Structure formats: structure tokens, C-alpha cells
Amino acid sequence: MLPDGYLLHPLTAADAAALAAAAVRNREHLRPWEPSRPEAFFTEAGQREVVDGRLRQVELDLFDCSVLWHGDDVVGAANLQNIVRGAMLGADLGYWVDVAHLRRGLGVALVEHLVQRGRDLGLHRLGASTMVANEPSQSVLRRCGFAEVGRIPAFLYLDGDWRDSILFNLVLHDGPPRG
């Protein structure tokens, strides 16, 4: 559940300017956990491209994205990505919280939202990965019921180097796929 004053809504094309402002505000905060970004990423035009790409993936049922607002500011996002149907029925999740809004329970609220979205979409499992050093994110995942299932060496190229990641998994149900 989100604290008072915060709203979560599906990503729209109109979010690009606020996302660009959030990217600029959080550039250093998120740098260790994300791939290197071109300068255009931090502009409204660059965010418009990102949003357009994500909305195309939403149309293809490969992506589900919600944006966290506090007043007129985007202060986070929650994504289900790499959605797979068929025998797997799974997705990977990702989320971030604005540096000025940490330690308010927002990470847990965003992951709980993603778990519910996964259930709503009829998914069987959700996966997540964190860099080894990202202990706060690992704590959020554990609080939301995710189990650590392993470690992959040199999994992602982030912050200028190949980084090990810790993998997490959450089984949403054991029933057969919904028709």
C-alpha cells in the first residue's frame, strides 16, 4: 500500500517530461545500478523515445509499467518486463525510487504492486536480479516473499564493469495456466 500523497498509474506518452526531470534528479543515485546512459536519455525527447518503445512492448504484452507520482513529480517506476507466455508464464521485475523519497516503504509498495499485476496477468512466476552490493533492493525482495535462488557471475554490464547478480524468484501460484 502506498503512503498518502503517492499515486501509481500506468505509463503514458504524457509522462516523458516528468520522467526526464526524474532521470536528471536521480542520475547519480541510479548510476551504480543501471547501464550507461547517453545524454539524450536525460532529456524530454530521449524519454519520449523510451516511453514510446515501452508502450510498443506493452501493446505486444511483453511489458507492464507503472509510474509513481508525488504531486507533479515522477518519483519511481515499477516494471514487469520480458513477459513470457506459454509453459513458463513468467516475467522479470524492475523498480526504482527517487533518492529524495527513500525509506518510506515505497520499494515494498512497488514490488507488492508488481506481484499483484503478475497475478492479474495470470503469470506463474516473477524473477528479479540485483547487483551483489544492492542490499536494500535484496531486502525489499525478501520482505515481499522472493527467495534467493542463485548468483550469476558477470551478469550485467553496469557502471563501467561486468557485475555479478543475485537472482530471486517468487512463485505466484501452483495451478495450471489460465485459458
Side-chain angles (χ1 to χ4, degrees):
M1 176 181 293
L2 289 170
D4 288 342
Y6 292 90
L7 298 172
L8 195 59
H9 74 73
L11 177 70
T12 70
D15 297 337
L19 284 164
V24 170
R25 275 194 322 273
N26 288 280
R27 187 176 197 156
E28 287 306 308
H29 166 59
L30 297 176
R31 182 190 46 75
W33 320 117
E34 294 190 341
S36 297
R37 304 287 191 189
E39 285 304 313
F41 180 85
F42 301 94
T43 67
E44 184 175 349
Q47 283 300 305
R48 195 172 303 112
E49 280 186 41
V50 170
V51 169
D52 288 348
R54 287 183 176 173
L55 291 175
R56 282 192 298 279
Q57 289 183 313
V58 168
E59 289 174 10
L60 296 171
D61 197 28
L62 300 173
F63 199 85
D64 187 88
C65 183
S66 296
V67 180
L68 180 63
W69 290 83
H70 186 260
D72 293 330
D73 294 327
V74 168
V75 297
N79 306 313
L80 292 178
Q81 54 217 23
N82 307 320
I83 297 172
V84 177
R85 298 294 176 173
M88 182 181 180
L89 282 176
D92 297 319
L93 66 83
Y95 66 97
W96 65 270
V97 175
D98 189 293
V99 66
H101 295 264
L102 298 175
R103 302 197 182 285
R104 298 177 191 190
L106 295 171
V108 169
L110 291 176
V111 172
E112 288 174 343
H113 166 76
L114 292 171
V115 169
Q116 185 57 53
R117 286 295 298 146
R119 288 188 173 111
D120 293 346
L121 294 170
L123 301 178
H124 167 69
R125 62 158 295 280
L126 297 177
S129 67
T130 72
M131 288 177 48
V132 174
N134 195 346
E135 293 175 6
S137 190
Q138 294 162 28
S139 176
V140 166
L141 292 167
R142 287 185 182 104
R143 283 185 59 192
C144 292
F146 283 73
E148 183 177 330
V149 295
R151 181 176 173 152
I152 299 180
F155 185 55
L156 297 172
Y157 192 79
L158 301 173
D159 196 27
D161 203 1
W162 287 101
R163 307 289 177 173
D164 293 0
S165 287
I166 297 176
L167 301 179
F168 290 84
N169 188 64
L170 178 66
V171 175
L172 301 174
H173 67 84
D174 287 325
R178 293 189 292 185

